[in-house]
Amino acid sequence: MPSLNRDSIRDALELVAGIALALAIRPVRLITRRPAEARCHILVVGPGSGSVGDQAMFEAFANNVSGNVVVLMRDATVLTNGNTRQPDGSSFIEMPSLLYGNLPNFLKDLVRTLILTIKSDTVSVVGADVMDGAYSRRASIRRFQVPFILSFAGLDARVLGFSWNESPPEDVTRKMRAVSKRVALYARDPLSAERLRANGGLNVHMVADLAFLVQGDPAAIEQQDGLELWLREQRQAKRTVAIVNLSSTLAGKFDQLGLFVPLIAGKLDNNFAFILLPHDSRGDQSDEKLAAIAHEMLDFDPRVFVVNHIVPPAHVAGIASKADFVLTGRMHLAILSATACTPSLSISYQGKVEGLYRMLELEHFTDPKTLDAHELDKAFDALAEDHATARTVLERTTEHAKRLARLNVPQ
């Protein structure tokens, strides 16, 4: 039996108060007529704030669900990619304390959310990599707690495609186990599904990441100044074109610039060309800054093209479709590239990449803990030699992943 502490007492108070409020609102919801064709879905999105992955998962859900979507977000910066037109039928409400606030403020936002349930049919939480406590134990617990509470108001409740690492905190595991009696848990890869079940999770479904549903924009190349001409020149010179992402998330885990820049410099003389593609931009932590630094370290070589801003998910997939392969520290870049059947060499972290690659039937990933110049060069060369075969594999496995990804979406 878990020991009582401040956090467990707070969780219990949240749960008791939340369920009581949900049961009070349920009769109102049941007598409120909602036309069958006017379904409405509550979607609790991730932290976002410059994350192409979070934007991709939101767009995939909104573009594939039948009905309107009410998006609950921490603040207005969560889904504000200026280059993206938000899907029709989506409305946005700031709920700053639903996942992150103290008890009084949480209850205020919970009441506001419960009022929304009167005209809603489902509640979905975007899970991704924020459910297993790797970033924030408290926020992970809340992400399980909120749909569980809302299920007592009569809503279909689910946590959408998420990863589960091999050693999550015990309190997060207990919460997952408890809510799985009423909340459907959608694991986004087979390894996460196995871990959830091994940790006692019920109602676990194996799906794929929502981002597999993003459709690439064929006009993406034209909208990046100079990229279309640059690509034509590289192909005329018969160069292999690789996309490289330097991830600000991994900046403290290993010396990306110290490994990636010498790799790129060495491969330029072996008839390679590179696109430096930033994927996330969050304040001081920015892939854009790393790309700019790398370009300067490479003396602005004309065989290296820098995309100097964050582009929408559909454009990421469109750009990836023109490359031979990708080297990335961002899992969602690997997924968006896979939608174009472009293979990636991924830097694995938090135990979430291995399961993805098992599903895609590829093995082109490496661990930053053991990564050095020799290991990176070896892995890069292996994919460079194998990218055509890997693309053929992706033509089959990505279609299966897309079918699994659709299972996330309420019908």
Side-chain angles (χ1 to χ4, degrees):
M1 180 177 177
S3 60
L4 289 179
N5 55 41
R6 185 175 180 178
D7 285 344
S8 62
I9 292 171
R10 179 175 55 187
D11 288 344
L13 289 173
E14 287 180 6
L15 194 60
V16 171
I19 291 174
L21 291 167
L23 290 174
I25 208 78
R26 183 173 183 136
V28 181
R29 181 178 174 276
L30 292 176
I31 64 175
T32 302
R33 293 191 176 186
R34 299 185 308 282
E37 67 275 10
R39 284 173 63 77
C40 184
H41 310 275
I42 295 173
L43 181 68
V44 182
V45 296
S49 302
S51 168
V52 173
D54 284 351
Q55 182 75 29
M57 291 182 287
F58 155 64
E59 290 180 18
F61 183 92
N63 286 328
N64 286 276
V65 75
S66 176
N68 296 324
V69 180
V70 178
V71 182
L72 307 187
M73 57 177 64
R74 184 177 188 175
D75 58 58
T77 68
V78 167
L79 296 173
T80 54
N81 188 324
N83 299 311
T84 299
R85 185 180 70 83
Q86 306 295 14
D88 295 335
S90 300
S91 57
F92 304 87
I93 300 176
E94 290 188 31
M95 294 281 184
S97 299
L98 190 64
L99 299 180
Y100 302 98
N102 58 27
L103 179 58
N105 289 328
F106 164 75
L107 291 175
K108 288 178 184 177
D109 275 354
L110 181 63
V111 169
R112 295 171 62 208
T113 303
L114 285 166
I115 292 171
L116 295 172
T117 68
I118 294 173
K119 295 185 178 181
S120 300
D121 300 278
T122 72
V123 57
S124 299
V125 173
V126 175
D129 60 355
V130 292
M131 298 306 299
D132 56 14
Y135 290 110
S136 167
R137 295 163 60 204
R138 287 296 310 145
S140 294
I141 288 172
R142 280 272 180 86
R143 285 185 170 91
F144 282 122
Q145 191 118 293
V146 167
F148 182 71
I149 290 171
L150 267 56
S151 73
F152 284 89
L155 271 66
D156 171 293
R158 59 185 65 196
V159 179
L160 306 177
F162 67 99
S163 302
W164 193 252
N165 68 46
E166 58 187 4
S167 56
E170 180 55 36
D171 54 349
V172 177
T173 301
R174 284 198 306 271
K175 181 59 65 175
M176 176 278 295
R177 194 181 300 130
V179 307
S180 67
K181 298 170 185 177
R182 298 182 64 95
V183 178
L185 305 181
Y186 289 83
R188 64 178 175 179
D189 64 77
L191 189 53
S192 291
E194 291 171 8
R195 290 167 176 166
L196 283 164
R197 292 181 181 123
N199 285 164
L202 307 172
N203 204 8
V204 175
H205 307 266
M206 213 288 280
V207 294
D209 193 285
L210 274 166
F212 276 106
L213 299 180
V214 171
Q215 296 185 357
D217 185 348
I221 301 300
E222 302 169 9
Q223 297 185 30
Q224 304 303 316
D225 290 343
L227 181 54
E228 187 175 21
L229 175 61
W230 181 88
L231 276 168
R232 191 181 308 125
E233 291 172 347
Q234 307 316 309
R235 294 309 185 188
Q236 288 172 351
K238 300 189 183 307
R239 295 189 180 106
T240 299
V241 176
I243 291 172
V244 174
N245 164 258
L246 292 102
S247 166
S248 55
T249 298
L250 296 178
K253 299 183 184 300
F254 71 103
D255 183 8
Q256 286 181 99
L257 291 168
L259 288 178
F260 283 24
V261 171
L263 174 80
I264 294 171
K267 301 304 179 185
L268 287 172
D269 293 331
N270 292 332
N271 219 32
F272 280 85
F274 294 87
I275 300 172
L276 301 183
L277 180 62
H279 192 67
D280 279 30
S281 178
R282 303 189 188 192
D284 292 335
Q285 296 186 21
S286 168
D287 292 12
E288 296 159 294
K289 292 180 180 178
L290 286 174
I293 293 170
H295 197 207
E296 184 176 1
M297 291 173 69
L298 291 162
D299 296 324
F300 306 102
D301 192 292
R303 293 165 293 181
V304 179
F305 185 95
V306 179
V307 177
N308 58 13
H309 59 279
I310 303 299
V311 300
H315 286 201
V316 173
I319 294 170
S321 71
K322 302 300 182 182
D324 293 298
F325 62 95
V326 176
L327 167 60
T328 178
R330 299 282 186 185
M331 193 182 80
H332 275 111
L333 177 52
I335 291 173
L336 292 171
S337 299
T339 66
C341 297
T342 300
S344 298
L345 168 60
S346 289
I347 311 301
S348 177
Y349 63 102
Q350 292 183 9
K352 62 184 182 180
V353 169
E354 183 181 352
L356 169 66
Y357 275 73
R358 184 198 291 187
M359 182 170 60
L360 294 176
E361 298 181 18
L362 296 174
E363 297 182 353
H364 297 288
F365 63 92
T366 186
D367 189 338
K369 295 176 183 176
T370 60
L371 193 62
D372 57 22
H374 174 72
E375 179 72 22
L376 181 61
D377 189 73
K378 180 180 175 182
F380 183 94
D381 286 347
L383 183 52
E385 294 174 8
D386 189 48
H387 70 82
T389 301
R391 184 178 293 271
T392 301
V393 173
L394 286 175
E395 288 172 355
R396 172 175 51 84
T397 57
T398 299
E399 284 305 309
H400 177 58
K402 290 177 180 179
R403 289 192 293 272
L404 289 174
R406 290 190 183 96
L407 298 177
N408 283 288
V409 182
Q411 301 302 312

